[in-house]
Amino acid sequence: KWKERKKIQTYIGTVLHAFFGIKCPDLVIGEALNFTYSRGELPKKVKRYFSSWLKGVMQTMIIMRCLRSGATYAVVNSAYTSQICSWCDCFGKRSGDIFHCLNGRCGRIVDADYNAARNVLKRYGDPDIRLFTPYKVVRSILEGRFQSVETVQPGPEKLAIRQVNPGANYLF
């Protein structure tokens, strides 16, 4: 068990070192990784233990790497970041690595991780959704926003992000 943990930590550390060496981000935005989620054949207790341990290790190593490199680390509320379209704010469906927007006018089919990363970036500095906003409140805020918008939002080249320095490098 300890040998496998050390392998995982070494792998994560190596990838972070390489990334920070190439990109040198000024700001790293991450989701709050303090929840448990599990699927599969293992007992529920084992899956929860491993899942929470791995997320904690990843988050701790990212924070430590940010401290070493002088980057700022920001955490955002993760509710529904992988379930809404980052272009039109409509709820969609994630099928493995693909996200399908259910809005008839948008209808985008994009990489699910890319879509979720755009939502995490949008969530940074959001005045309505704070880190500890309950997920049910987040859902009602997101549904209200979608109902109030009549057209599809601009693509990524015109995406307006609040409180973000446009000249800085970001990891999200």
Side-chain angles (χ1 to χ4, degrees):
K1 177 172 105 175
W2 295 108
K3 198 178 202 180
E4 294 303 313
R5 282 184 171 192
K6 210 59 174 157
K7 280 184 192 177
I8 292 169
Q9 287 176 323
T10 301
Y11 178 75
I12 294 169
T14 303
V15 170
L16 285 173
H17 180 74
F19 179 81
F20 274 81
I22 294 168
K23 294 289 185 177
C24 303
D26 298 323
L27 174 65
V28 177
I29 303 169
E31 294 178 308
L33 299 176
N34 56 354
F35 62 92
T36 57
Y37 177 77
S38 57
R39 279 191 207 170
E41 302 82 33
L42 295 172
K44 192 182 286 189
K45 184 177 180 181
V46 172
K47 290 185 285 187
R48 285 184 180 163
Y49 173 75
F50 183 73
S51 178
S52 64
W53 174 81
L54 184 58
K55 286 183 263 188
V57 166
M58 287 185 348
Q59 191 165 27
T60 301
M61 292 181 82
I62 291 170
I63 291 169
M64 295 304 293
R65 190 64 196 168
C66 286
L67 288 172
R68 282 190 212 134
S69 66
T72 302
Y73 183 72
V75 181
V76 297
N77 189 322
S78 61
Y80 302 106
T81 54
S82 64
Q83 298 175 29
I84 60 170
C85 178
S86 59
W87 283 270
C88 70
D89 292 333
C90 173
F91 277 85
K93 182 178 181 185
R94 182 176 178 154
S95 301
D97 292 339
I98 306 295
F99 176 83
H100 301 270
C101 179
L102 300 179
N103 181 359
R105 289 190 283 185
C106 177
R108 292 183 192 261
I109 300 172
V110 296
D111 180 73
D113 292 331
Y114 176 69
N115 183 62
R118 283 177 44 98
N119 284 324
V120 168
L121 185 59
K122 284 172 61 176
R123 187 72 51 91
Y124 176 72
D126 190 321
D128 300 324
I129 303 173
R130 298 290 180 200
L131 183 58
F132 297 108
T133 305
Y135 73 94
K136 290 180 181 179
V137 175
V138 172
R139 184 174 182 98
S140 66
I141 290 170
L142 294 172
E143 287 173 344
R145 286 180 182 171
F146 177 70
Q147 291 172 356
S148 68
V149 177
E150 293 181 3
T151 60
V152 175
Q153 298 297 316
E157 63 279 351
K158 297 181 182 178
L159 183 65
I161 306 297
R162 294 180 283 277
Q163 300 178 1
V164 175
N165 180 357
N169 293 318
Y170 299 104
L171 165 66
F172 55 92

